[in-house]
Amino acid sequence: MPFSVCFVCTGNICRSPMAESVFRARVEEAGLDGLVVVDSAGTGGWHEGDAADPRTVTVLGENGYASAHAARQFRASWFSRLDLVIALDEGHLRELRGLAPTAADAAKVRLLRSYDPAAGDDLEVPDPYYGGMHGFEECLDMVEAASEGLLAAVRDAVEEKAA
């Protein structure tokens, strides 16, 4: 059974699909596709079925990432099939841990920037939705920086799971 990672933001049209695309590319580059499954969702369902925000798609495309996406809302029942639930900000972290059916499930929820040693105490990925392209570019920079540490942690977990 593959190791499963789900990125979660508010509406699943900006930050989490960006993180999903970047991390999926890192997984493929590392030769872990098939061993790691990557997806995303939102804490709310008002964008369900929508494509990613056009600014997200533009920033991803300009940086060589694929972006096929349809928004969906995170469900508590998914915890049983997920190994990691990656929140993009503290609000998501609290909400997801509150949805977790068990303490073990709550422990699966982590902040993305906690995997970036350079982030220090600033673990939020700001929501770029109400701003311009600069916010989306900044979001991508934060996602890419954290993805390397996340990939190392996932690689270790995959190896441990296989042992």
Side-chain angles (χ1 to χ4, degrees):
M1 181 175 223
F3 190 89
S4 185
V5 180
C6 184
F7 294 92
V8 182
C9 70
T10 306
N12 192 218
I13 60 169
C14 295
R15 293 172 284 179
S16 58
M18 187 178 290
E20 175 186 357
S21 293
V22 169
F23 194 64
R24 181 175 289 118
R26 295 295 179 273
V27 164
E28 290 170 3
E29 290 163 5
L32 296 173
D33 45 326
L35 298 174
V36 179
V37 174
V38 183
D39 63 12
S40 66
T43 57
W46 52 92
H47 289 292
E48 276 192 295
D50 293 350
D53 184 290
R55 296 165 294 180
T56 296
V57 174
T58 297
V59 168
L60 287 170
E62 287 174 350
N63 289 277
Y65 297 105
S67 177
H69 178 74
R72 60 197 187 132
Q73 183 174 4
F74 188 87
R75 306 278 185 235
S77 61
W78 297 356
F79 274 105
S80 62
R81 68 172 177 80
L82 294 170
D83 295 293
L84 270 179
V85 179
I86 304 296
L88 278 290
D89 70 27
E90 293 280 349
H92 307 133
L93 180 80
R94 284 189 301 279
E95 191 168 343
L96 290 163
R97 285 186 174 163
L99 279 175
T102 68
D105 289 327
K108 295 176 183 180
V109 184
R110 307 277 172 75
L111 282 167
L112 175 63
R113 292 197 71 209
S114 68
Y115 292 95
D116 178 4
D121 293 335
D122 183 14
L123 300 181
E124 299 275 315
V125 176
D127 188 350
Y129 185 76
Y130 293 103
M133 286 301 290
H134 177 74
F136 286 82
E137 292 160 353
E138 189 174 74
C139 181
L140 179 63
D141 290 343
M142 291 178 182
V143 167
E144 287 179 328
S147 289
E148 296 308 316
L150 176 58
L151 181 63
V154 167
R155 184 188 327 254
D156 289 348
V158 167
E159 290 172 0
E160 185 177 304
K161 210 174 184 181

